[in-house]
Amino acid sequence: MCLTINSLDDYVKKITELDANCKRNPIKNEILLFRGQENKNFDILPSIARNRKFSVDISILDEERNLIELAKHTRPDIFKKDMEPIELLALLQHYGIPTRLLDVTENALVALYFACKSHSATDAEIIIFKCNDKDIANYPIINAIADSYRFSVGTCHSLSLFFDDVIDQPYFLEQHRSVKNFSKERKESWICECCKDPIFIHAPIYTQRQLAQQGRYILFPNKIEKSEYDVYFSKIIDPIEKNDSIILERIIIPQDLKNDLIRQLTLFGISEATLFSDSIDTTCKNIKKTCLAKVTEENY
């Protein structure tokens, strides 16, 4: 579904209506998660997978390895060797390194801010996902997918070999005994099952910014392909299609509405200053902007 709004009031009413239809009982606790994109034509893809073609020379797995290892080498005090894979990816994402994570938020107004903040001459979009918050994801396989780059071999990676690699990692210790004797076919089908739907995850919160933005993530595995003899991770990541059943609604924000929405969101405590309060540069920029605006008004 797709809806165009004409005001902040339209947006709030629609979100409230969607939330009221969520099921909440002892088995199911449906919640809404939001993704704001400055251009309605953007794909739903993590940063590591954007602007790519099938003929690229370097695979996502190889590029991911280069980015992560260089970050760990350059700032070992921040990107520590003993971090679990999903923990490391979330921190890399926070500091702007392209990863296989896509940011979403629990806060509809935060998503609206990120859709409008660039003031770009394009209609923006809010993508609304619905998930069951009581579905506890298989945490070891989440870490395994986040750890994919360490086990890449050439341009593709057999799922059965991937399985054998990751179950020996510390994060699989709890489940090692129950899965170690899977057959090749069972290994492949199990990973395919784990990767068939968007994977919504939590990650540790280290900064005020992460807390203020009420962030969650979608974790993207590489595309799974089949040959005559094998099932494997290919070197690309597929986008989530905008007609996917996990998407409850898409809301379009006309480009000429963006400035007004940013101004109105400030009244509700949603602004660059509040969402990036742990950035000294951002704080000082907003102090300067506020003071210069007041001086200009007084001179006028």
Side-chain angles (χ1 to χ4, degrees), residues 251-264:
I251 296 179
I252 306 301
I253 297 98
Q255 64 179 80
D256 57 5
L257 189 59
K258 290 180 180 179
N259 287 338
D260 284 345
L261 289 175
I262 288 293
R263 178 180 54 79
Q264 292 166 23

Side-chain angles (χ1 to χ4, degrees), residues 145-189:
I145 294 168
D147 213 13
S148 295
Y149 77 97
R150 290 208 298 131
F151 309 110
S152 59
V153 180
T155 58
C156 61
H157 192 187
S158 161
L159 294 195
S160 60
L161 292 177
F162 175 77
F163 181 98
D164 292 339
D165 286 336
V166 298
I167 65 165
D168 287 330
Q169 302 308 307
Y171 47 78
F172 247 103
L173 185 61
E174 210 174 294
Q175 289 191 346
H176 185 275
R177 182 177 297 177
S178 62
V179 302
K180 67 177 181 178
N181 293 322
F182 279 2
S183 67
K184 180 178 184 295
E185 291 73 22
R186 181 70 180 97
K187 294 172 185 177
E188 293 169 350
S189 64

Side-chain angles (χ1 to χ4, degrees), residues 1-2 12 32 34 40 47 61 75 80 93 103 123 159-160 164 171 188 190 208 230-231 271 287:
M1 298 179 65
C2 193
V12 171
L32 305 181
F34 308 89
K40 67 178 182 180
S47 52
L61 292 165
R75 290 304 303 266
K80 299 175 181 177
Q93 179 87 349
D103 293 290
D123 290 350
L159 294 195
S160 60
D164 292 339
Y171 47 78
E188 293 169 350
W190 185 67
Q208 180 61 35
D230 216 345
V231 182
S271 67
I287 290 172

Side-chain angles (χ1 to χ4, degrees), residues 81-110:
K81 289 183 178 180
D82 60 350
M83 285 182 166
E84 291 200 329
I86 202 66
E87 184 181 10
L88 176 61
L89 282 197
L91 200 57
L92 288 162
Q93 179 87 349
H94 170 73
Y95 283 109
I97 299 293
T99 75
R100 61 179 60 244
L101 297 179
L102 184 73
D103 293 290
V104 293
T105 175
E106 299 173 12
N107 190 317
L109 297 182
V110 170

Side-chain angles (χ1 to χ4, degrees), residues 74 160 247 277:
T74 306
S160 60
I247 296 176
S277 59

Side-chain angles (χ1 to χ4, degrees), residues 9 36 49 58 76 79-80 89 152 185 193-194 239 242 288:
D9 186 50
I58 183 170
F79 307 113
K80 299 175 181 177
L89 282 197
S152 59
E185 291 73 22
E193 181 68 21
C194 291
K242 293 190 177 180
K288 177 181 175 182

